[in-house]
Amino acid sequence: MDQQRRTGRQLLAEQEKLGNDVVAVEVGGQVFDLHTPLPEGTSEVRAIRQNDPKALPIIRHSTAHVMADAVQKLFPGTKVAFGPATEAGFFYDYDRPGGSFSEADLEAIEQKMLEIIESDSPFVREPMAREDLMALLSSMNEPYKLEHVQRLEGELTIYRHGDWVDLCEGPHVPSTRFLKAFKLTHTAGAYWRGDERNPMLQRIYGTAFASPKDLKAHLKALEEAKLRDHRKVGKELDLIAFHPLAPASPFFTARGARIYNALCDYVRELYDRHGYEEVITPQVFDNELFETSGHLPAYYENMFLAASKEHLEKAAKEIVEKPPADVHACEHVMTEHFRFGVKPMNCPSHCLLFGMKRRSYRELPLRIADFGRLHRYERSGVVQGLTRVRTFAQDDAHIFCTQEQVSGEIADFIDLVHRVYEDFAFQAPKIYIATRPDKRIGDDAVWDAAEKALIDGVSAKGVPFEIAEGEGAFYGPKVEFHLKDALGRSWQLGTIQADFNLPERFDLSYVGANNESHRPVMLHRAVLGSVERFFGVLIEHVGGNFPTWLAPEQLTIVTVASDFDAFAVEAAKELRRKGLRVSVDTSNERLGAKIRAARLMRVPYIGVVGAKEVEGRGLQLRSRDLNADVGFSTLDEVAARLLAEHRAPSLRD
RNA sequence: GCUGGCGUAGCUCAACGGUAGAGCACCUGUUUUGUAAACAGGGGGUUACGGGUUCAAAUCCCGUCGCCAGCUCCA
């Protein structure tokens, strides 16, 4: 090794900074193994120690190698594919001749991994010429790695530990003994290279940390997150229900509907202040609409089609009289006769509405809002609680405006989104700009303009964003606002999308100041996004403890004994007259049991009524959020206190 | 849709080839109660559905439906 290119280990040793907790080194933002020669002339390095955040992906990736080693030792003939570190741990994909891995297999693998870690085998990096590497992978009978190497460019390296070898660019921990805390968590199928046309491999997920303490904390956090799962909490609090006869289609119970409507009413108040007009549009349309909008060509597999008996008869008749040549032709005959489609989005009907009248530039920007129910057919494997359903409503609106108005509308909308998320005490959302997908309508020049409009609009606000390549809607690019659920899964909620395509397809126009006809731009936007999804994420965010302004029941009045029931009922009536949501528990239970019941339902306030309260015409009030008895209050004081929290924070006077 | 797992009372779970059970919830009674569970009694199940194996199936096998974790796809 030449003098100029020393390793991180050598450098740190010279500087007496080499502890036994150093995992790797960082030079100018790049991470190297301790034993890898650093770029020429490097004299300053930063040691990445075990507790450094940058150590985590290294530890996890190295653990993935050890897992793959263990798997191949235990299950000969198993081939390996990819095995990266992820946000929460790592995985490795395998092609196992015998099929999948069981729970028992995972335990055996963990045991074998412990042996490998115990052996304290150094990870060794080895640059290799392409031909040698391909020969090596062929001899190892690793077709996936071989295929991968053919796609790779630049310097190729392998990593060894013990007798195990993997095509890998590193970096890795110095030796297996640095892996001190790991757990294999679950298995899953995963397509090779993420493409569903490819064979499905077996994936084993695991996680690893610098110390057993960190691992334990992580596993505990996962357990706690599970307790917040909106499917569990939503059921416990009697907010939502599902029935097998309506798969992926939530029922909102009376309590859940209260919250649902409170969310919509909240948005309606904002609409009043931001110049939106709410409309109501049909559910089912002649499919000609969806031909025009592009949904049938580009969104067909997500649409529910609807047919009447007459349509079915006509289709049947044609099929009997002129039998179609194949399945495809038969499908065509049927869809030709199934005249109706259930709307999957509101935009087509809003285009119809815009086009029904001669429009003036004076009307623009025209902001049309719609809580219309949408139906989208989602494949059975993708649905999930409230966050991915087949029927939902959005706090949807379409803004028809001039080119010049676009950036102003985007800026206003971003303000609106941030204000709303603050009202729900969410962290600032992560913003993505989703660009043109492969499956799309419209010319590239139009997409160029639309993408530029969004990027300019967001940039003007100075908020950070990332580009999500190819993730746009089929009709236009999107700005997406993402929040995470209790399990750390990220969901798109709000969005604003620039659309130059639909106005074109619907031939929309307005009369300008110059008395000439112009094409409007259309912005699709939603703040909550899907109300269903927002509800689900919100349940998890508040852990079922809905703030007073959303709580289905704001106050439960409980009586100490049945003698006081009459006053309790009277008090509830009086408070309800003031617009509060109040219930009375007159069940034949002891006070403690009634309090417990109300607390389990996460009611923000509990009011106890006994002899003293009847006499003073008030309640002994307990606050859920303060977790304390707040003392005696007259009914007027109770009303004032609750009414102060009765509206969203930003709407309070 | 794909891979794997799961489906027993309203809920949480037991029984894992040999008579379907518990706690909570529910109903009825007793109790009149002061801040997280009073006591007693009672009702409730074609073990998701359909088929098969077996003297015997909740239990084993096949199919359908649904749910869960991922993958692919998306608000």
Side-chain angles (χ1 to χ4, degrees):
Chain A
M1 192 174 298
D2 64 77
Q3 283 297 72
Q4 298 298 314
R5 299 196 60 188
R6 287 174 301 175
T7 66
R9 180 176 281 124
Q10 290 168 329
L11 264 177
L12 287 175
E14 286 166 19
Q15 298 168 4
E16 293 182 353
K17 286 196 284 196
L18 182 66
N20 59 8
D21 62 342
V22 177
V23 172
V25 293
E26 185 177 9
V27 179
Q30 232 189 318
V31 179
F32 295 88
D33 312 282
L34 279 187
H35 70 277
T36 298
L38 300 173
E40 267 181 51
T42 302
S43 58
E44 274 306 311
V45 297
R46 187 177 80 84
I48 296 177
R49 295 172 197 277
Q50 261 165 18
N51 290 322
D52 191 301
K54 288 202 173 175
L56 212 45
I58 304 172
I59 290 170
R60 288 171 172 173
H61 185 196
S62 297
T63 311
H65 273 223
V66 170
M67 170 170 76
D69 179 7
V71 166
Q72 291 195 310
K73 282 195 167 70
L74 287 172
F75 308 101
T78 300
K79 298 169 188 17
V80 295
F82 290 132
T86 63
E87 205 177 318
F90 62 87
F91 64 78
Y92 217 117
D93 288 343
Y94 306 98
D95 181 358
R96 182 185 174 191
S100 61
F101 295 96
S102 66
E103 288 282 313
D105 290 339
L106 291 194
E107 276 171 40
I109 296 164
E110 284 184 345
Q111 282 310 312
K112 181 61 80 178
M113 287 171 72
L114 286 174
E115 284 174 33
I116 296 165
I117 289 168
E118 199 67 16
S119 72
D120 195 11
S121 309
F123 279 87
V124 181
R125 179 177 182 275
E126 210 175 293
M128 260 190 136
R130 182 173 299 266
E131 304 73 51
D132 297 343
L133 182 50
M134 286 175 65
L136 175 68
L137 292 172
S138 297
S139 74
M140 289 164 63
N141 194 16
E142 289 287 3
Y144 299 100
K145 289 285 178 191
L146 194 58
E147 184 186 328
H148 185 51
V149 92
Q150 285 163 343
R151 294 166 192 259
L152 287 177
E153 289 167 6
E155 192 190 28
L156 298 169
T157 55
I158 59 166
Y159 272 81
R160 299 177 187 274
H161 69 263
D163 57 1
W164 197 76
V165 189
D166 195 7
L167 164 68
C168 178
E169 61 176 349
H172 281 281
V173 298
S175 133
T176 57
R177 118 185 124 72
F178 279 72
L179 308 175
K180 291 175 177 151
F182 73 91
K183 175 152 183 62
L184 303 187
T185 51
H186 58 288
T187 59
Y191 300 107
W192 165 237
R193 306 194 73 86
D195 189 326
E196 64 182 327
R197 289 164 302 193
N198 286 340
M200 183 160 268
L201 306 173
Q202 298 301 323
R203 176 171 295 181
I204 300 179
Y205 281 92
T207 191
F209 285 87
S211 72
K213 198 175 139 215
D214 291 351
L215 175 63
K216 216 173 146 192
H218 172 78
L219 295 176
K220 185 144 187 266
L222 274 185
E223 285 299 311
E224 278 169 12
K226 268 194 198 152
L227 295 178
R228 296 169 83 89
D229 190 316
H230 74 271
R231 290 164 297 191
K232 179 180 156 67
V233 174
K235 198 181 203 177
E236 284 168 357
L237 299 187
D238 192 20
L239 305 174
I240 55 168
F242 287 89
H243 194 281
L245 295 183
S249 305
F251 290 68
F252 291 88
T253 63
R255 297 176 76 90
R258 266 256 154 78
I259 299 173
Y260 194 103
N261 286 327
L263 291 172
C264 294
D265 288 343
Y266 162 71
V267 172
R268 284 192 174 100
E269 279 205 62
L270 295 176
Y271 282 167
D272 286 342
R273 297 172 186 218
H274 285 80
Y276 287 80
E277 296 172 337
E278 185 179 344
V279 300
I280 296 171
T281 52
Q283 200 68 44
V284 176
F285 290 87
D286 191 304
N287 276 325
E288 193 182 324
L289 174 70
F290 300 115
E291 287 290 351
T292 304
S293 67
H295 282 81
L296 275 179
Y299 207 69
Y300 176 53
E301 57 269 31
N302 283 295
M303 281 186 64
F304 282 101
L305 297 181
S308 68
K309 182 170 186 291
E310 285 173 16
H311 298 153
L312 288 168
E313 281 170 354
K314 280 184 192 162
K317 194 154 168 255
E318 184 174 334
I319 289 168
V320 168
E321 285 170 2
K322 288 185 280 176
D326 57 19
V327 174
H328 193 75
C330 188
E331 185 186 357
H332 182 73
V333 172
M334 290 193 285
T335 52
E336 281 283 287
H337 286 91
F338 290 15
R339 287 286 297 283
F340 298 133
V342 183
K343 68 177 171 188
M345 298 183 191
N346 289 311
C347 35
S349 40
H350 290 186
C351 286
L352 292 183
L353 211 44
F354 184 90
M356 282 179 200
K357 275 182 22 187
R358 197 91 178 113
R359 300 288 178 179
S360 156
Y361 73 98
R362 294 177 195 275
E363 292 178 73
L364 306 185
L366 182 65
R367 307 184 187 89
I368 303 179
D370 196 333
F371 289 92
R373 182 135 298 271
L374 308 177
H375 289 80
R376 298 183 187 175
Y377 179 75
E378 299 287 352
R379 297 205 286 179
S380 63
V382 309
V383 298
Q384 192 201 70
L386 290 179
T387 41
R388 189 81 182 271
V389 293
R390 289 187 178 146
T391 174
F392 60 102
Q394 294 174 303
D395 60 329
D396 199 8
H398 294 94
I399 302 172
F400 295 89
C401 63
T402 67
Q403 295 268 7
E404 296 70 41
Q405 289 167 335
V406 168
S407 63
E409 289 298 315
I410 291 173
D412 284 352
F413 180 74
I414 291 171
D415 286 341
L416 181 60
V417 167
H418 282 88
R419 169 189 182 162
V420 168
Y421 290 8
E422 267 172 42
D423 267 341
F424 293 99
F426 278 118
Q427 300 286 316
K430 197 156 167 57
I431 299 177
Y432 295 91
I433 295 183
T435 58
R436 67 196 79 184
D438 292 336
K439 196 171 181 180
R440 61 176 182 265
I441 56 174
D443 297 336
D444 280 354
V446 170
W447 279 86
D448 289 340
E451 286 171 3
K452 184 172 184 304
L454 290 185
I455 291 170
D456 289 351
V458 175
S459 304
K461 288 305 292 181
V463 289
F465 66 89
E466 284 176 32
I467 299 287
E469 211 72 60
E471 301 283 315
F474 71 84
Y475 48 78
K478 311 194 281 186
V479 179
E480 302 180 347
F481 300 85
H482 288 244
L483 288 176
K484 282 186 179 174
D485 69 12
L487 295 172
R489 289 178 288 213
S490 183
W491 294 101
Q492 181 195 317
L493 297 174
T495 179
I496 184 163
Q497 311 168 2
D499 183 357
F500 300 124
N501 279 312
L502 289 188
E504 188 79 32
R505 293 176 78 100
F506 281 89
D507 194 24
L508 301 181
S509 65
Y510 65 90
V511 179
N514 58 2
N515 199 29
E516 280 174 20
S517 188
H518 301 272
R519 185 81 71 206
V521 178
M522 191 177 176
L523 301 174
H524 307 238
R525 40 107 295 157
V527 186
L528 308 182
S530 147
V531 181
E532 277 72 2
R533 175 178 289 179
F534 188 86
F535 195 165
V537 175
L538 182 63
I539 289 173
E540 301 187 357
H541 180 63
V542 300
N545 295 303
F546 284 94
T548 306
W549 66 280
L550 289 169
E553 195 178 333
Q554 296 168 319
L555 167 69
T556 303
I557 301 180
V558 300
T559 50
V560 171
S562 55
D563 290 350
F564 316 115
D565 286 358
F567 174 71
V569 169
E570 189 193 328
K573 215 168 170 182
E574 187 174 329
L575 292 169
R576 280 192 207 116
R577 255 202 312 271
K578 296 186 173 169
L580 295 170
R581 300 188 283 272
V582 183
S583 70
V584 185
D585 185 349
T586 54
S587 65
N588 185 13
E589 284 289 348
R590 284 178 152 65
L591 179 65
K594 294 187 197 180
I595 300 240
R596 179 168 190 268
R599 290 184 70 150
L600 286 175
M601 291 309 274
R602 319 276 220 283
V603 181
Y605 288 98
I606 299 172
V608 175
V609 172
K612 284 175 289 188
E613 290 73 27
V614 172
E615 193 175 333
R617 293 195 64 78
L619 305 173
Q620 187 72 19
L621 205 60
R622 162 177 272 282
S623 154
R624 174 197 67 195
D625 296 332
L626 299 174
N627 192 24
D629 193 328
V630 295
F632 175 86
S633 310
T634 64
L635 293 185
D636 284 344
E637 289 165 350
V638 170
R641 183 177 186 124
L642 268 66
L643 284 170
E645 302 173 24
H646 191 61
R647 281 148 57 81
S650 77
L651 294 175
R652 288 174 196 160
D653 302 320

